[in-house]
Amino acid sequence: MRVLGIETSCDDTGVAIVDDRCTVVAEALHSQTAMHRRFGGVVPELASRDHIARLAPMIEACCAQAGMTLRDLDGVAWTQGPGLAGALLVGASVGSALALGLGLAGLGIHHLEGHLLSPLLDAQPPAFPFLALLCSGGHTQLVEVAGLGSYRLLGDTLDDAAGEAFDKTAKMMGLDYPGGPAIAQLALHGDAMRFTLPRPMLHSGDLDFSFSGLKTAVLTRLRKLGVDPNDAASMDALAPEDRRDLAACVQAAICEVLSAKALSAIRKTGHRRLVIAGGVSANLLLRRTLEDACTKAQVELFCPPPRLCTDNGAMIALAGVLRMRAGETPRGAALAAHSCQVRPRWPLESLRPPAAAQSASTGGSGS
Ligand code: KG4
Ligand code: ZN
């Protein structure tokens, strides 16, 4: 079985082909960050238009890489949500048109399911059940994964997600979007002990997160250093070492909270396997901190390679392979009835394992 995966939920166009051994046989990625950078964040209309322009040549390139044609595919999977409505519609339209035109199975995939299953693309994948720390631009969640489609939310962010905290503090410091990699790069040579920043909800006793207080603390610190984030000219007051040290302090605060909460979830649930996924899991300090903590706690840690932490087509193709292999294979009229429905807001816990999902959407009629 070979499934084409299409990811267009935000500002990355991702296309990949994954086979039923969960191997990536072809992949292509186009990042729109350069296009959005001058606006300081993602412009939804531009994102959709760019996805439209990129998808067809990227799909062709993936088929060529895999040495196959569209007719050799067994299914098509695309991101159905959550994400930007217009951007999602591009992937859903192209994906379902391909599946319907070629008579293949077609599936809309939950973006976060793609992220949390992405370590299964590894040669040594985690077995179910496991605990997942999902940290992307819009989500910071601790999820108990009993199996494909069985997700229990243990903790969530009350305000900003960890990725947002990176992005917003970076913007206040005059750094380019996306802020996570920019802060991580600067932090390499910064002093993480220089400024005291809060560790929000570190000792709250529950598994929830909150990062908006950190943003306020960074704003206060910047003002003390003579910088007003609303006044670009004042950015010059920030000496290179101040910027490096502040970046290191922000990164340390976010990573400490994320890893402490993940370990606390491990203690509370007794799980022996921890998966980290989503863009922020590409962060080297977070990976190192969790590696050390997991070794001490005798917990196995699974992190996708950095290229598969951020948005990509392979994780969507993989979720498609797993669900289709388990019998969720809508095609023809059953597919056409749902094909272009996107879900910009879609709670992960509402997902179901494949059999239940199929009978809910097709009245149990199978493929
Ligand atoms: O999963 P993702 O690619 O897209 C969403 O689904 O949101 O995550 C994007 C987020 C952004 O907030 C970005 O700043 C952050 O991941 N990010 C990082 C790193 N690479 C990406 N944050 C910290 N360190 C990184 N190395
Ligand atoms: Zn994502």
Side-chain angles (χ1 to χ4, degrees):
M1 172 185 276
R2 281 176 292 189
V3 173
L4 175 75
I6 298 174
E7 155 61 35
T8 61
S9 66
C10 189
D11 59 344
D12 290 309
T13 318
V15 177
I17 298 170
V18 169
D19 69 14
D20 52 359
R21 286 173 305 174
C22 300
T23 304
V24 183
V25 293
E27 59 186 318
L29 184 75
H30 175 77
S31 163
Q32 300 178 352
T33 48
M35 183 177 81
H36 296 294
R37 190 161 281 152
R38 66 198 152 110
F39 304 103
V42 179
V43 182
E45 176 68 17
L46 293 183
S48 316
R49 285 166 184 260
D50 202 59
H51 288 312
I52 293 176
R54 306 267 170 199
L55 268 181
M58 287 173 68
I59 292 170
E60 274 183 355
C62 276
C63 285
Q65 230 182 82
M68 54 188 274
T69 70
L70 289 174
R71 302 226 160 261
D72 300 316
L73 289 169
D74 298 280
V76 184
W78 57 89
T79 306
Q80 192 179 5
L84 302 170
L88 290 167
L89 269 170
V90 176
S93 314
V94 172
S96 53
L98 273 176
L100 288 168
L102 295 163
L104 303 175
L107 267 187
I109 299 292
H110 194 295
H111 180 80
L112 297 179
E113 177 172 72
H115 272 306
L116 66 79
L117 296 176
S118 56
L120 300 184
L121 289 165
D122 202 83
Q124 264 116 35
F128 295 120
F130 56 76
L131 190 87
L133 170 65
L134 261 177
C135 33
S136 66
H139 295 83
T140 302
Q141 298 184 332
L142 279 159
V143 184
E144 192 168 55
V145 180
L148 177 63
S150 293
Y151 310 125
R152 189 162 76 95
L153 191 62
L154 303 178
D156 203 349
T157 181
L158 305 181
D159 41 58
D160 291 347
E164 243 170 324
F166 272 112
D167 294 339
K168 288 181 178 173
T169 50
K171 193 170 181 179
M172 288 194 281
M173 291 161 63
L175 301 176
D176 276 343
Y177 163 86
I183 290 208
Q185 182 61 33
L186 271 178
L188 285 176
H189 306 288
D191 173 4
M193 309 292 276
R194 175 159 163 215
F195 304 114
T196 308
L197 292 178
R199 270 56 176 159
M201 295 186 67
L202 189 60
H203 302 296
S204 61
D206 57 24
L207 298 174
D208 288 331
F209 302 87
S210 161
F211 290 104
S212 68
L214 181 63
K215 201 175 54 192
T216 312
V218 170
L219 180 62
T220 309
R221 178 55 62 185
L222 280 169
R223 290 207 167 120
K224 280 189 190 149
L225 291 166
V227 174
D228 175 359
N230 295 318
D231 172 11
S234 73
M235 231 22 111
D236 293 343
L238 201 57
E241 85 236 37
D242 294 340
R243 192 176 268 137
R244 284 197 295 266
D245 293 347
L246 194 52
C249 294
V250 167
Q251 176 178 252
I254 296 174
C255 293
E256 187 180 331
V257 175
L258 290 175
S259 50
K261 291 273 174 167
L263 262 291
S264 162
I266 287 282
R267 280 192 295 275
K268 283 187 183 192
T269 58
H271 281 287
R272 307 313 304 158
R273 287 179 286 272
L274 175 67
V275 155
I276 57 169
V280 177
S281 63
N283 186 277
L284 291 180
L285 177 67
L286 179 65
R287 292 163 86 99
R288 269 208 306 270
T289 312
L290 277 171
E291 260 159 33
D292 291 348
C294 285
T295 306
K296 276 195 202 114
Q298 294 185 312
V299 168
E300 270 186 287
L301 177 67
F302 298 86
C303 331
R307 79 174 203 290
L308 296 178
C309 289
T310 43
D311 293 348
N312 62 86
M315 66 184 196
I316 302 303
L318 170 76
V321 165
L322 297 177
R323 284 188 169 271
M324 289 179 193
R325 213 168 58 178
E328 194 176 338
T329 53
R331 64 181 84 219
L335 168 60
H338 302 279
S339 57
C340 280
Q341 284 171 6
V342 295
R343 299 182 172 196
R345 289 173 182 274
W346 188 7
L348 180 69
E349 328 75 89
S350 70
L351 293 192
R352 295 288 171 266
Q358 192 178 26
S359 55
S361 68
T362 66
S365 59
S367 58

